Amino acid sequence: MAPAQSTQTQRTPPTDSPNTAFLAGLRPALAGVAVPEKSEAMATYMKSSMPFLGVPSPTVRKTVRDLAKTHPFTDVEQLHATVNKLWHNASFREERYAAIMLTDSRLGRGEVGLLPFYAVVIETGQWWDFVDTVAPRLWELLQTHRATMDPLLREWSTHPNFWFRRAAIISQLPAKVETDTALLNDVITVNMADQEFFIRKAIGWALRQYARTDPEWVRNYVAVNEGQLSPLSRREALKRL
């Protein structure tokens, strides 16, 4: 379980001023490319109480990218303040997607100063679309700040909120040959008995993804843990083998 003080530190909001021009322009820009008749189906699919405007994710990403070129960010502190404000003030789910997408930029990638935002997304978003989009940012931080991220991901792997555990399990999906197999082993092993669907699915997904790089490691892991892995996790892990 992550210490309460550590989690609280991660939730400390940024104090710098956000990019107000970007914030003011985002909703009109999204509304201008929305397909309103799709909004209800999108909300139903995501089981979302927050409404959608009806903007597909690729269009949200392009809108965010174009608007950031028009109203560029000065530094990572301003980026952090902007995504934090956008996340908390969002009225539509696409605005929250936009906040996460902003961190996937040259300015944001690998910046440990954005870790508090990722913790907020996981804790308050609590759904797979948010958590799974943040997970690759955690791997980038593991590459640039291993001394901070390795123990943190281990803490998150036993967090009482299972969405933090899911984030820890799938954090290395993009890693390929750079996968830390000791870390992967540890964050999966402590969750193998969990009955939660999203944890069992995450375990299978993480193993299946690494099987693309090292199929023998995954086969051996599944064989050694045959009696502990859920049928879902085992089936997903071996799907491509």
Side-chain angles (χ1 to χ4, degrees):
M1 181 183 300
Q5 184 177 1
S6 172
T7 304
Q8 182 61 43
T9 299
Q10 292 161 16
R11 291 200 300 263
T12 302
T15 55
D16 300 87
S17 299
N19 185 335
T20 55
F22 180 93
L23 290 172
L26 181 62
R27 188 176 298 174
L30 289 173
V33 292
V35 185
E37 55 268 29
K38 292 186 176 182
S39 60
E40 185 175 349
M42 294 169 75
T44 299
Y45 175 72
M46 279 298 166
K47 301 179 181 178
S48 176
S49 59
M50 178 177 283
F52 279 80
L53 282 163
V55 186
S57 288
T59 306
V60 175
R61 184 173 295 278
K62 182 180 186 305
T63 302
V64 168
R65 184 171 59 246
D66 291 347
L67 194 61
K69 288 179 181 178
T70 303
H71 305 294
F73 290 82
T74 57
D75 51 37
V76 72
E77 287 76 18
Q78 186 187 54
L79 179 64
H80 186 189
T82 302
V83 298
N84 188 72
K85 191 174 185 66
L86 182 55
W87 177 268
H88 287 292
N89 291 352
S91 296
F92 299 94
R93 206 168 184 92
E94 290 97 336
E95 292 174 311
R96 286 193 158 181
Y97 293 159
I100 299 173
M101 288 172 182
L102 280 171
T103 67
D104 184 21
S105 62
R106 185 168 54 184
L107 187 61
R109 290 189 204 112
E111 283 292 338
V112 74
L114 291 170
L115 180 57
F117 173 68
Y118 302 142
V120 166
V121 171
I122 296 168
E123 184 171 23
T124 63
Q126 298 203 46
W127 198 240
W128 64 266
D129 56 338
F130 294 139
V131 175
D132 295 3
T133 309
V134 159
R137 309 285 81 76
L138 302 177
W139 176 71
E140 291 162 0
L141 291 180
L142 181 65
Q143 301 306 105
T144 56
H145 297 84
R146 183 166 294 272
T148 297
M149 293 303 298
D150 184 280
L152 181 64
L153 290 172
R154 293 176 189 276
E155 288 180 359
W156 282 9
S157 72
T158 58
H159 199 286
N161 182 333
F162 75 81
W163 291 110
F164 280 94
R165 301 202 302 276
R166 179 178 171 92
I169 292 167
I170 64 173
S171 61
Q172 295 194 80
L173 287 179
K176 298 181 181 179
V177 296
E178 295 180 301
T179 298
D180 182 336
T181 53
L183 177 60
L184 180 63
N185 175 88
D186 292 350
V187 299
I188 290 177
T189 300
V190 296
N191 284 284
M192 280 194 296
D194 198 294
Q195 300 294 309
E196 169 58 50
F197 168 81
F198 285 106
I199 293 298
R200 292 184 167 191
K201 188 76 170 180
I203 289 171
W205 187 11
L207 291 171
R208 184 178 77 243
Q209 186 72 6
Y210 188 53
R212 297 172 181 267
T213 298
D214 192 342
E216 288 308 310
W217 189 95
V218 173
R219 284 194 183 97
N220 182 67
Y221 185 89
V222 171
V224 169
N225 296 283
E226 181 75 22
Q228 288 75 46
L229 283 168
S230 71
L232 172 60
S233 297
R234 185 169 59 252
R235 184 170 62 252
E236 288 293 319
L238 300 177
K239 182 178 287 186
R240 305 294 183 186
L241 297 180

